[in-house]
Amino acid sequence: DIQMTQSPSSLSASVGDRVTISCRSSQDINKFLNWYQQKPGKAPKLLICQVSSLQSGVPSRFSGSGSGTDFALTIGSLQPEDFATYFCQQSYTSPLTFGGGTKVEIK
Amino acid sequence: EVQLVESGGGLVQPGGSLRLSCVASGFTFKTYWMTWVRQPPGKGLEWVANINQDGTTKYSVDSVKGRFTISRDNVKNSLSLQMNSLRVEDTAIYYCARDFGIPGGWFDAWGQGILVTVSS
């Protein structure tokens, strides 16, 4: 199985900060890496698919980058509504696997 | 508007069975893969199983193989997950989601989730 490792597992940041979350896969997954945001008590929401394709309606302060085994989600200027948990997910092969999550908290 | 509504969750004893359903609306159900993802309380996401458009291709995580069966009814626009031989570790919120397949897919619409509790 492909292991997805996110870092950090949590971070504290202030409104306006630039935040980067890393995701590493245990083998090359090409460009098949997606990012989700989840708020407490809610279903996950797709932010970015295939490394860098922003979903419709997602603010442009979110961006994705990377290739092969190393990927990143960047929030350009953190807004109050961005405090949530973020998950990466590989869709290269079954079983599909998620990273452990990164909780973004208010500093 | 795309909508996915799960039902069928609840409390079941270890070794018991439960069948989850997910009814879809707002899109052409028969043209999409569909997936089940679960999340134990307070923990991360785990993909469970998915199924292609006509039900002929299915994938699942090893921990549910032989116990869970995914299926779909394209006339009723519904997705199902038959869960047998349930274990305490299957306790989770179960989400159905629209899927763009393997490889390269993503989950772009999710249901609200349904809680399954396995306990004696």
Side-chain angles (χ1 to χ4, degrees), chain B residues 7 9 25 33 38 42 54-55 57 64 78 87 89-91 96 108 112 115:
Chain B
S7 62
S25 61
W33 285 70
R38 66 185 179 183
D54 62 6
T57 300
V64 308
S78 70
R87 304 168 179 167
E89 55 265 34
D90 295 319
T91 295
C96 68
D108 74 330
Q112 83 284 358
L115 178 62

Side-chain angles (χ1 to χ4, degrees), chain B residues 23-100:
Chain B
V23 175
S25 61
F27 66 101
T28 306
F29 181 74
K30 64 182 179 181
T31 65
Y32 288 89
W33 285 70
M34 294 295 294
T35 245
W36 288 98
V37 172
R38 66 185 179 183
Q39 185 170 36
K43 297 193 176 181
L45 300 169
E46 181 184 36
W47 173 78
V48 175
N50 67 357
I51 185 168
N52 74 337
Q53 290 89 338
D54 62 6
T56 56
T57 300
K58 304 174 186 181
Y59 298 101
S60 62
V61 67
D62 282 352
S63 60
V64 308
K65 279 188 168 76
R67 301 188 300 124
F68 290 11
T69 302
I70 189 171
S71 62
R72 66 189 296 159
D73 183 333
N74 287 342
V75 173
K76 295 182 178 178
N77 288 348
S78 70
L79 175 73
S80 296
L81 187 68
Q82 177 65 44
M83 304 185 294
N84 299 330
S85 303
L86 281 160
R87 304 168 179 167
V88 170
E89 55 265 34
D90 295 319
T91 295
I93 296 171
Y94 284 73
Y95 297 98
C96 68
R98 191 169 72 173
D99 186 349
F100 282 74

Side-chain angles (χ1 to χ4, degrees), chain A residues 22-97:
Chain A
S22 296
C23 178
R24 176 168 288 178
S25 56
S26 60
Q27 66 183 72
D28 190 332
I29 58 171
N30 200 326
K31 61 175 182 177
F32 300 142
L33 189 283
N34 308 314
W35 289 99
Y36 302 85
Q37 175 194 65
Q38 187 178 33
K39 296 183 179 179
K42 299 293 187 181
K45 172 188 172 184
L46 178 67
L47 296 177
I48 289 172
C49 63
Q50 294 196 347
V51 177
S52 58
S53 295
L54 207 63
Q55 274 296 98
S56 174
V58 174
S60 59
R61 61 181 178 272
F62 290 92
S63 63
S65 62
S67 64
T69 62
D70 289 291
F71 304 90
L73 172 70
T74 298
I75 308 173
S77 176
L78 201 63
Q79 297 302 300
E81 60 268 30
D82 301 335
F83 291 96
T85 301
Y86 294 85
F87 296 92
C88 61
Q89 176 243 332
Q90 66 82 15
S91 59
Y92 180 74
T93 190
S94 178
L96 307 178
T97 46

